[in-house]
Amino acid sequence: MDSFQWLTNLFTATDSVAHIALLYAIVIAVGVYLGKIKIFGISLGVTFVLFAGIVAGHFRLTAPPNILTFVQDFGLILFVFMIGLQVGPGFFESFRKGGVTLNLLSTATVLLNIAVMFACYFIFFDTSSTHNLPMMVGTLYGAVTNTPGLGAANEALESMFPSGGVPQIASGYACAYPLGVLGIIGATIAIRYICRVKLEKEEEELSDEAAENTRVKPHMMHLQVTNSYLAGRTLLQIHEFLNRDFVCSRILHNGHVSIPNRNTVFELGDQVFIVCAEADAEAIIAFIGPEIQVAWEKTDQPMVSKRILVTRSSINGKTLSGMHFSSVYGVNVTRVTRQGMELFASPNLSLQVGDRLMVVGPEDLVNRVSDVLGNSIKRLEAPNIATIFVGIIVGIIFGSLPFALPGMPVPMKLGIAGGPLIVAILIGRYGYKVRLVTYTTTSANMMLREIGLVLFLASVGIKAGAGFLETVVQGDGLKYVYTGFLITVIPILIIGTLARLKFKFNYFTIMGMIAGTYTDPPALAYANQSCSKDTPAVGYSTVYPLSMFLRILTAQLIVLLACGA
């Protein structure tokens, strides 16, 4: 029997490093595998790690409290920081055009979730108990399927109970989460019937809209200069007179091909290659001359077009005009692709590591620019881990700054969830200005984010497991389930119907907006399955950054203002 004592110790010696590592490995592995199981096409994903942790905690498989707290907090920091880096570049752009209305509707949904939570608390629970309101906060974040909000609320509670006795709000979260996932999808379907939406008609409208928007895509054409007014005029003068955006990437003059710059003089008979918006093509043709066929490769100075990847950190933050591509290197940059989006190559555009530039010019000069920009995929795949930890340092310091507000029992802090999130968003958007290379591959970002998330969920679950059955079975578990469902569904029905009937948004856009507001990937997956286009994903990404920020910020405000009163 003694020969198996080592195995017994491995599972029972809670202060052993091997036991702690084994515990986390088992909880995370079991949770991830079970999370892949689909019921009616819906799975809980990595959130099942929380339930695996609760089971482990219930059977007294645990670790020292200080270790659990450290792993929980470090996982949360890593998770929210990588989210911030991902959404940072598009955070402020999401408020442009129709994004403003979508974000306002999303904000209203967040506030309605909180309002319904408080209504349920006053209607269904004993308000004299100090335990019920914190548990309702956990229920709120399970209902809206937002784990970072749970982390922020938990952290705020710990700041209010420094001597211990922190309410295990993860129990409320666990009760509300499963129906939260189902409720989001169910309420979205209900909107379809309330507003009498026909999916085929919505698809047709998207197709018509896409056809109208093709005019903003880049259009390339070869023209011959036949307008006598242009003879002797520089490219800059032609730009100013025509007052339309276009790039002239090469010119054939007297049998010689060259890369034009702002001072290049046009003459009758010159042949030029123009890149412009499709809507401007007709006007440019009418002003310069007709389209022709040009065999550039047969000229004495053959031109090449090449996509070049920015991988040198020294280029990060420099503008296109500051690089002097035309005057110094003898090439033109016609387009810039960033995170899958094509950007107009304006002189003031700041370059970032990971950008792809379409460079046109003589082959030897294009290759020279390629060396300057880096163009090394291997270098791009190397992780910029220093930026991550520099950002975490600044985020923790920023999150620890106390803000004294009237009526609050303790000074407010953004904490280890809010501080790193805000700093990551700012670094993701403006890091290039201080030469911080913020680029990480999508797979690297997802890997670090998922590691942080599962560490956080496993820790929370193990902590909550010991008292989970008492809370749910003997306590108000059923109340947390149905109040969580109300918190999920009521705001969606109100805001979704308003978005459709009042603001006339496409139903698939509304589906994406709802999924983004609840930061719920299963709901987005369902929306994507319902639509042949990427409209739900656009709606999701438009509101996701602000929604995530508001969920984390309001979590702490609720705890500090309500639970501390």
Side-chain angles (χ1 to χ4, degrees), residues 223-231 266-272 284-292:
L223 305 180
Q224 182 160 2
V225 179
T226 57
N227 184 355
S228 59
Y229 173 80
L230 304 184
F266 278 35
E267 299 294 347
L268 289 176
D270 287 351
Q271 297 174 352
V272 294
I284 292 173
I285 292 171
F287 185 67
I288 294 177
E291 285 195 79
I292 56 170

Side-chain angles (χ1 to χ4, degrees), residues 254-270:
N254 291 335
H256 296 277
V257 176
S258 62
I259 301 296
N261 56 42
R262 59 191 296 167
N263 298 317
T264 299
V265 176
F266 278 35
E267 299 294 347
L268 289 176
D270 287 351

Side-chain angles (χ1 to χ4, degrees), residues 54-134:
I54 288 173
V55 173
H58 174 70
F59 287 105
R60 300 296 187 269
L61 291 174
T62 185
N66 59 332
I67 298 294
L68 291 174
T69 300
F70 166 74
V71 176
Q72 169 188 311
D73 291 348
F74 180 73
L76 180 63
I77 291 170
L78 194 60
F79 176 54
V80 298
F81 189 85
M82 298 314 296
I83 285 177
L85 272 189
Q86 182 201 26
V87 305
F91 184 78
F92 299 100
E93 282 74 9
S94 67
F95 297 104
R96 295 177 180 174
K97 299 181 181 179
V100 174
T101 306
L102 280 178
N103 274 289
L104 286 174
L105 290 169
S106 178
T107 301
T109 306
V110 173
L111 296 177
L112 265 177
N113 288 133
I114 297 170
V116 174
M117 184 272 287
F118 276 109
C120 290
Y121 167 65
F122 285 111
I123 294 171
F124 298 110
F125 290 89
D126 178 10
T127 57
S128 63
S129 171
T130 58
H131 177 75
N132 284 335
L133 185 54

